[in-house]
Amino acid sequence: MVAIKTHLSRLSLPLVLAFYISNPVFAQKDSLRTDPPTSDSVQTVKPNYALLRGIFAAQSALYLGTIYGLSKSWYKNPLTKFTFQDDTREWLQMDKMGHVYTSYQIARHTAELYKKTGISKRQMLVYGAISGIIFQTPIEILDGFSPDYGFSPGDMIANISGSVLYLGQIALWDEVRIQPKFSFHYTSLSKVRPELLGTNRSESWLKDYNGQTYWFSGSPRTFFKNSGWPAWLCLSVGYGIHDMVSAEKETSIERGYHPYRQYYLSLDIDLTKIKTKSKLVRTIGFFANSIKIPAPALQISKKGIDFKPFYF
């Protein structure tokens, strides 16, 4: 039987954080905001090619190190011939949401990093957008050669979608208006199948899809510029699942569970829109803006509408 894939444990927040922790030029940034980059027509700063080469070198080192580490630790069996695996029905598509989120975050962070080099807006956007795809594509290829997995077209489409979500907004609006975010709460289901959903808390937040929620947050102010709505206050729409103790819905049902989808409506805060003169606060806000803040939420599912006074 094909082994269950848990891509989020390899790709999501840890990968984004590792990218910056490992990047020696990150400390040189004096601002981390989601403001659109300076347009080509007004760019007067000559590109810092030394810094640009440093970023390329750091990315390449992290990129190759990640691939090598995965090839040695994640893939237990020797790689064989290339195969395809259609897993689009698994986990009620929650794993695909993880791929979209990860690709978007890599594109967002990378583009902001390249902004410091003084390259053109077009170049910055291209480098950022393709980084999310390039960083994940070799992992999909390794899956294709693995007897336990197989290349997933659905994963690849999700990877591309995340980068396009970032690039498309900048191209259309010259700013990011809709931001993918992530939240997690622990569930008792990980105790049912710890080998699949996590043997401890540090594994469960990566592997237990039942506790994950993916959000799309945006402030109405970005669409209605003259409204009195605060620019930092966002409406957020979320998606989650429940009672999935197997990748397949049918298998979960056979085990006595009743899988279903959950949709959420909540408030959120765009931390990059909070005005401050502190570079440290802006930096923290930029990183933390990938996480949905805890807040009251409406949960909509086949069981009806439920109000959550505090949901994360």
Side-chain angles (χ1 to χ4, degrees):
M1 181 178 178
V2 177
I4 303 301
K5 293 201 291 184
T6 54
H7 279 81
L8 186 62
S9 63
R10 293 180 285 169
L11 293 174
S12 191
L13 293 175
L15 188 151
V16 173
L17 294 177
F19 177 85
Y20 275 92
I21 293 173
S22 304
N23 200 318
V25 300
F26 171 67
Q28 301 182 45
K29 291 184 65 61
D30 61 358
S31 174
L32 286 173
R33 298 175 290 117
T34 54
D35 295 342
T38 304
S39 70
D40 297 344
S41 60
V42 297
Q43 180 177 330
T44 58
V45 180
K46 182 179 179 180
N48 186 336
Y49 292 109
L51 181 58
L52 188 61
R53 287 193 293 270
I55 295 176
F56 280 144
Q59 277 189 298
S60 299
L62 177 61
Y63 173 79
L64 294 174
T66 300
I67 298 303
Y68 178 79
L70 285 174
S71 65
K72 295 297 182 181
S73 61
W74 184 266
Y75 302 97
K76 304 300 183 182
N77 297 317
L79 301 182
T80 59
K81 66 178 181 179
F82 190 87
T83 60
F84 288 86
Q85 173 67 24
D86 182 10
D87 62 352
T88 53
R89 298 185 62 185
E90 293 182 357
W91 297 113
L92 297 180
Q93 294 78 52
M94 275 295 288
D95 60 323
K96 302 299 178 284
M97 295 294 292
H99 280 268
V100 171
Y101 170 85
T102 301
S103 184
Y104 173 90
Q105 294 299 338
I106 294 176
R108 179 175 79 101
H109 286 69
T110 305
E112 192 69 19
L113 183 62
Y114 278 114
K115 179 180 179 181
K116 185 64 177 178
T117 67
I119 60 177
S120 71
K121 174 182 176 180
R122 179 178 299 177
Q123 289 174 310
M124 193 198 74
L125 293 177
V126 170
Y127 291 156
I130 66 176
S131 290
I133 300 172
I134 290 178
F135 216 104
Q136 298 185 86
T137 298
I139 298 176
E140 305 302 337
I141 294 175
L142 283 175
D143 281 351
F145 285 104
S146 170
D148 298 322
Y149 306 122
F151 181 87
S152 169
D155 288 351
M156 197 65 217
I157 292 173
N159 294 339
I160 296 173
S161 298
S163 292
V164 170
L165 179 60
Y166 173 79
L167 179 61
Q169 291 188 77
I170 299 295
L172 180 62
W173 298 315
D174 208 30
E175 65 177 347
V176 173
R177 296 185 180 181
I178 301 173
Q179 305 179 61
K181 296 193 176 185
F182 171 83
S183 68
F184 176 80
H185 60 272
Y186 292 102
T187 76
S188 59
L189 293 173
S190 59
K191 297 180 181 179
V192 177
R193 298 195 67 187
E195 76 284 356
L196 180 65
L197 304 179
T199 58
N200 52 53
R201 284 182 172 263
S202 62
E203 288 186 358
S204 293
W205 79 273
L206 293 169
K207 295 183 176 182
D208 186 2
Y209 289 111
N210 300 280
Q212 298 173 7
T213 306
Y214 288 99
W215 304 83
F216 292 93
S217 295
S219 173
R221 177 70 171 272
T222 61
F223 294 95
F224 306 99
K225 301 295 185 180
N226 296 324
S227 69
W229 189 279
W232 53 267
L233 184 59
C234 300
L235 296 178
S236 193
V237 177
Y239 174 65
I241 62 175
H242 187 63
D243 263 8
M244 286 290 288
V245 295
S246 174
E248 299 83 13
K249 180 178 180 180
E250 295 75 14
T251 304
S252 296
I253 294 175
E254 291 173 359
R255 289 175 173 267
Y257 293 86
H258 305 282
Y260 59 93
R261 306 173 189 272
Q262 298 168 318
Y263 303 92
Y264 297 90
L265 180 62
S266 181
L267 294 174
D268 190 28
I269 294 177
D270 185 345
L271 299 175
T272 66
K273 291 296 192 299
I274 297 178
K275 296 182 179 180
T276 175
K277 295 182 179 179
S278 171
K279 295 179 181 179
L280 176 61
V281 173
R282 290 201 300 268
T283 300
I284 294 174
F286 181 84
F287 278 110
N289 215 44
S290 60
I291 304 296
K292 165 74 168 62
I293 68 165
L298 286 178
Q299 181 188 82
I300 305 170
S301 69
K302 67 178 185 180
K303 292 189 174 182
I305 300 177
D306 186 22
F307 176 71
K308 304 288 186 181
F310 186 83
Y311 183 84
F312 184 70

